[in-house]
Amino acid sequence: MRLDQRLIADMIEPGTRVLDIGSGDGLLIDHLFRHRGCDARGIELNMKLVTRSVAHGLPVVHGDADHDLAHYPDHAFDYVVLQRTLQAVARPREVLRQMLRIGRHAIVSFPNFGHWQLRLKLLLNGRMPMTAVWHTAWYDTPNIHPCTIRDFLALCAEEGYTVEQWMAVDEEGERAPWRRSIRLANLFGEQALFLLRRQGG
């Protein structure tokens, strides 16, 4: 599994109910089922990945985070996961609201657009930057809502979400000492990961 998937799995209590939005090939679902005893299922937009997951016996359905979460009942899951997809959905705020309606906790991972390499490339070149993570030209990218760690924290505060845990990792996947400083994590963290719940939830 990718680094962010391993970190997500560590945040999830064994034996809980999990919905993975944008579940891809189902690796996280399979890991949670086999190693954490979770009732894990997924929703995925790419039909080829849905077919591949189902062929391996994984409970994944075809769906869209922007439209299909509204069909799930309140408190249906303990954890709702959105991995590396927040920046690609049409309505990030509404998706987060739905996640914390249908789940007690939300786990969100996303690439940090505040990373120093992106800032420097934009400053020096005056063009939308491209890196190993942000590797698609602006006119073809699915990443229509890039955000920074500080942007996301501001949204959480505005919506009244409690941040139970957060972390940022660098290019090598290391959680360096700067991770305790939001300002430094926003500068040096290539990926961000948040565990959220509603206040009073």
Side-chain angles (χ1 to χ4, degrees), residues 7 10 23 29-30 47 65 74 81 111 123 134 136 155 158-159:
L7 295 173
D10 290 342
S23 55
I29 294 172
D30 185 61
M47 195 62 202
D74 294 355
V81 178
L123 176 66
W134 301 91
T136 311
L155 176 59
E158 186 177 325
E159 291 290 306

Side-chain angles (χ1 to χ4, degrees), residues 16 24 32 51 57 59 69 71 85 89 98 102 124 128 133 141 145 149 151 157 165 175 197:
T16 51
L32 291 173
T51 302
L69 296 183
H71 302 307
T85 307
V89 299
Q98 291 291 345
I102 65 179
L124 296 179
M128 288 299 290
V133 174
T141 183
H145 291 293
I149 291 172
D151 285 329
Q165 189 177 345
R175 286 177 280 175
R197 65 173 171 82

Side-chain angles (χ1 to χ4, degrees), residues 98-113:
Q98 291 291 345
M99 290 174 68
L100 284 166
R101 178 186 64 80
I102 65 179
R104 293 191 302 113
H105 305 273
I107 300 177
V108 182
S109 70
F110 58 89
N112 173 34
F113 202 69

Side-chain angles (χ1 to χ4, degrees), residues 27-196:
L27 274 177
L28 178 62
I29 294 172
D30 185 61
H31 176 84
L32 291 173
F33 174 74
R34 293 177 183 274
H35 301 286
R36 309 286 284 182
C38 293
D39 176 6
R41 54 200 63 222
I43 177 172
E44 171 57 47
L45 184 60
N46 186 321
M47 195 62 202
K48 288 184 179 179
L49 293 177
V50 173
T51 302
R52 187 183 306 170
S53 298
V54 172
H56 286 91
L58 301 174
V60 175
V61 298
H62 183 252
D64 183 333
D66 281 307
H67 301 103
D68 295 323
L69 296 183
H71 302 307
Y72 287 89
D74 294 355
H75 315 302
F77 299 93
D78 298 301
Y79 297 90
V80 181
V81 178
L82 187 71
Q83 44 174 317
R84 290 192 178 186
T85 307
L86 181 71
Q87 72 283 354
V89 299
R91 299 174 297 158
R93 182 197 297 261
E94 180 59 25
V95 168
L96 285 172
R97 288 173 177 171
Q98 291 291 345
M99 290 174 68
L100 284 166
R101 178 186 64 80
I102 65 179
R104 293 191 302 113
H105 305 273
I107 300 177
V108 182
S109 70
F110 58 89
N112 173 34
F113 202 69
H115 189 263
W116 71 269
Q117 288 183 343
L118 296 169
R119 299 189 199 196
L120 184 62
K121 288 185 177 185
L122 184 58
L123 176 66
L124 296 179
N125 300 330
R127 300 181 61 185
M128 288 299 290
M130 294 176 64
T131 67
V133 174
W134 301 91
H135 53 78
T136 311
W138 66 269
Y139 45 82
D140 280 333
T141 183
N143 300 314
I144 56 176
H145 291 293
C147 74
T148 70
I149 291 172
R150 294 182 71 186
D151 285 329
F152 188 79
L153 284 167
L155 176 59
C156 290
E158 186 177 325
E159 291 290 306
Y161 302 147
T162 298
V163 178
E164 295 185 292
Q165 189 177 345
W166 73 275
M167 64 186 72
V169 295
D170 62 17
E171 297 93 325
E172 284 74 43
E174 297 296 329
R175 286 177 280 175
W178 45 254
R179 71 186 184 275
R180 298 187 182 277
S181 164
I182 292 172
R183 188 174 297 274
L184 292 178
N186 195 45
L187 185 61
F188 294 111
E190 191 172 46
Q191 295 182 61
L193 182 60
F194 285 82
L195 173 62
L196 309 174

